[in-house]
Short mmCIF file of all heavy atoms in Angstrom, two decimals:
data_model
loop_
_atom_site.label_atom_id
_atom_site.label_comp_id
_atom_site.label_asym_id
_atom_site.label_seq_id
_atom_site.Cartn_x
_atom_site.Cartn_y
_atom_site.Cartn_z
N SER A 246 15.02 42.93 -11.03
CA SER A 246 15.28 44.07 -10.16
C SER A 246 14.05 44.96 -10.02
O SER A 246 13.91 45.70 -9.03
CB SER A 246 16.46 44.86 -10.69
OG SER A 246 16.20 45.30 -12.00
N ALA A 247 13.15 44.92 -10.97
CA ALA A 247 11.90 45.72 -10.90
C ALA A 247 10.82 45.05 -10.05
O ALA A 247 9.77 45.65 -9.86
CB ALA A 247 11.40 45.99 -12.30
N TYR A 248 11.06 43.83 -9.69
CA TYR A 248 10.05 43.07 -8.91
C TYR A 248 10.73 42.43 -7.70
O TYR A 248 10.90 41.21 -7.65
CB TYR A 248 9.41 42.05 -9.82
CG TYR A 248 8.21 41.36 -9.23
CD1 TYR A 248 6.96 42.03 -9.14
CD2 TYR A 248 8.29 40.05 -8.75
CE1 TYR A 248 5.87 41.39 -8.60
CE2 TYR A 248 7.17 39.45 -8.18
CZ TYR A 248 6.00 40.12 -8.09
OH TYR A 248 4.88 39.50 -7.54
N PRO A 249 11.19 43.25 -6.71
CA PRO A 249 11.92 42.71 -5.60
C PRO A 249 11.14 41.77 -4.70
O PRO A 249 9.95 42.05 -4.45
CB PRO A 249 12.41 43.95 -4.85
CG PRO A 249 11.54 45.06 -5.29
CD PRO A 249 10.91 44.68 -6.63
N THR A 250 11.73 40.68 -4.34
CA THR A 250 11.08 39.73 -3.40
C THR A 250 12.07 39.46 -2.26
O THR A 250 13.31 39.60 -2.45
CB THR A 250 10.74 38.39 -4.13
OG1 THR A 250 11.90 37.89 -4.76
CG2 THR A 250 9.57 38.57 -5.08
N LYS A 251 11.53 39.00 -1.15
CA LYS A 251 12.35 38.74 0.03
C LYS A 251 13.37 37.63 -0.26
O LYS A 251 14.58 37.69 0.09
CB LYS A 251 11.51 38.31 1.22
CG LYS A 251 12.23 38.12 2.44
CD LYS A 251 11.64 38.99 3.55
CE LYS A 251 12.64 39.10 4.70
NZ LYS A 251 12.37 40.15 5.61
N ALA A 252 12.92 36.53 -0.91
CA ALA A 252 13.78 35.41 -1.24
C ALA A 252 14.32 35.57 -2.67
O ALA A 252 13.55 35.97 -3.56
CB ALA A 252 13.04 34.09 -1.12
N HIS A 253 15.58 35.31 -2.84
CA HIS A 253 16.22 35.43 -4.17
C HIS A 253 15.78 34.32 -5.07
O HIS A 253 16.02 33.15 -4.75
CB HIS A 253 17.72 35.44 -3.96
CG HIS A 253 18.50 35.49 -5.25
ND1 HIS A 253 18.95 36.67 -5.82
CD2 HIS A 253 18.86 34.49 -6.10
CE1 HIS A 253 19.56 36.39 -6.96
NE2 HIS A 253 19.52 35.08 -7.12
N ARG A 254 15.10 34.62 -6.20
CA ARG A 254 14.72 33.54 -7.12
C ARG A 254 15.86 33.14 -8.01
O ARG A 254 16.57 34.06 -8.52
CB ARG A 254 13.56 34.04 -8.02
CG ARG A 254 12.18 33.72 -7.55
CD ARG A 254 11.74 34.35 -6.33
NE ARG A 254 10.38 34.05 -5.94
CZ ARG A 254 9.89 34.25 -4.76
NH1 ARG A 254 10.64 34.79 -3.82
NH2 ARG A 254 8.64 33.96 -4.48
N PRO A 255 16.03 31.85 -8.30
CA PRO A 255 17.10 31.46 -9.21
C PRO A 255 16.81 31.99 -10.65
O PRO A 255 15.68 31.95 -11.09
CB PRO A 255 17.04 29.93 -9.20
CG PRO A 255 16.09 29.52 -8.15
CD PRO A 255 15.26 30.70 -7.78
N ALA A 256 17.81 32.56 -11.31
CA ALA A 256 17.63 33.10 -12.65
C ALA A 256 17.48 31.94 -13.65
O ALA A 256 16.90 32.11 -14.73
CB ALA A 256 18.76 34.00 -13.00
N TRP A 257 18.06 30.77 -13.31
CA TRP A 257 18.04 29.64 -14.21
C TRP A 257 17.54 28.42 -13.46
O TRP A 257 18.24 27.91 -12.56
CB TRP A 257 19.46 29.43 -14.79
CG TRP A 257 19.59 28.28 -15.70
CD1 TRP A 257 20.06 27.02 -15.46
CD2 TRP A 257 19.28 28.29 -17.12
NE1 TRP A 257 20.04 26.25 -16.55
CE2 TRP A 257 19.56 26.99 -17.62
CE3 TRP A 257 18.74 29.25 -18.02
CZ2 TRP A 257 19.38 26.64 -18.96
CZ3 TRP A 257 18.57 28.89 -19.33
CH2 TRP A 257 18.90 27.62 -19.78
N SER A 258 16.32 28.01 -13.80
CA SER A 258 15.71 26.89 -13.08
C SER A 258 15.49 25.67 -13.98
O SER A 258 14.64 24.84 -13.73
CB SER A 258 14.35 27.28 -12.50
OG SER A 258 14.51 28.09 -11.36
N VAL A 259 16.23 25.63 -15.06
CA VAL A 259 16.01 24.56 -16.07
C VAL A 259 16.70 23.28 -15.63
O VAL A 259 17.88 23.27 -15.34
CB VAL A 259 16.53 25.00 -17.47
CG1 VAL A 259 16.13 23.96 -18.50
CG2 VAL A 259 15.98 26.39 -17.83
N LEU A 260 15.91 22.21 -15.54
CA LEU A 260 16.39 20.93 -15.05
C LEU A 260 16.47 19.95 -16.25
O LEU A 260 15.52 19.83 -17.00
CB LEU A 260 15.45 20.38 -13.99
CG LEU A 260 15.16 21.26 -12.78
CD1 LEU A 260 14.07 20.65 -11.89
CD2 LEU A 260 16.45 21.49 -11.99
N SER A 261 17.61 19.27 -16.36
CA SER A 261 17.76 18.25 -17.41
C SER A 261 16.97 17.02 -17.06
O SER A 261 17.07 16.52 -15.92
CB SER A 261 19.23 17.88 -17.56
OG SER A 261 19.36 16.67 -18.26
N LYS A 262 16.17 16.51 -18.04
CA LYS A 262 15.41 15.30 -17.79
C LYS A 262 16.04 14.10 -18.44
O LYS A 262 15.36 13.04 -18.67
CB LYS A 262 13.98 15.51 -18.25
CG LYS A 262 13.04 16.00 -17.20
CD LYS A 262 13.11 17.46 -16.92
CE LYS A 262 12.63 18.28 -18.10
NZ LYS A 262 12.80 19.73 -17.89
N ALA A 263 17.33 14.19 -18.81
CA ALA A 263 17.99 13.09 -19.53
C ALA A 263 17.96 11.79 -18.70
O ALA A 263 17.67 10.69 -19.22
CB ALA A 263 19.41 13.44 -19.87
N LYS A 264 18.19 11.89 -17.40
CA LYS A 264 18.23 10.70 -16.52
C LYS A 264 16.81 10.08 -16.47
O LYS A 264 16.66 8.83 -16.50
CB LYS A 264 18.72 11.09 -15.14
CG LYS A 264 18.85 9.89 -14.20
CD LYS A 264 19.42 10.30 -12.84
CE LYS A 264 19.35 9.16 -11.86
NZ LYS A 264 19.74 9.56 -10.51
N LEU A 265 15.79 10.91 -16.38
CA LEU A 265 14.42 10.42 -16.29
C LEU A 265 14.10 9.64 -17.56
O LEU A 265 13.46 8.57 -17.49
CB LEU A 265 13.52 11.66 -16.18
CG LEU A 265 12.01 11.33 -15.93
CD1 LEU A 265 11.81 10.87 -14.51
CD2 LEU A 265 11.16 12.60 -16.18
N LYS A 266 14.55 10.16 -18.73
CA LYS A 266 14.27 9.49 -20.02
C LYS A 266 15.09 8.20 -20.12
O LYS A 266 14.56 7.16 -20.45
CB LYS A 266 14.70 10.39 -21.16
CG LYS A 266 13.63 11.42 -21.48
CD LYS A 266 14.04 12.34 -22.65
CE LYS A 266 13.41 13.70 -22.40
NZ LYS A 266 14.09 14.81 -23.11
N GLN A 267 16.36 8.28 -19.80
CA GLN A 267 17.25 7.13 -20.00
C GLN A 267 16.96 5.99 -19.01
O GLN A 267 16.90 4.86 -19.40
CB GLN A 267 18.72 7.56 -19.86
CG GLN A 267 19.21 8.27 -21.08
CD GLN A 267 20.44 9.20 -20.76
OE1 GLN A 267 21.02 9.08 -19.73
NE2 GLN A 267 20.76 10.05 -21.74
#
Side-chain angles (χ1 to χ4, degrees):
S246 57
Y248 189 76
T250 52
K251 185 124 196 166
H253 177 92
R254 264 68 179 164
W257 180 259
S258 282
V259 186
L260 303 174
S261 164
K262 268 78 68 184
K264 184 178 173 188
L265 187 73
K266 279 178 210 158
Q267 282 156 14

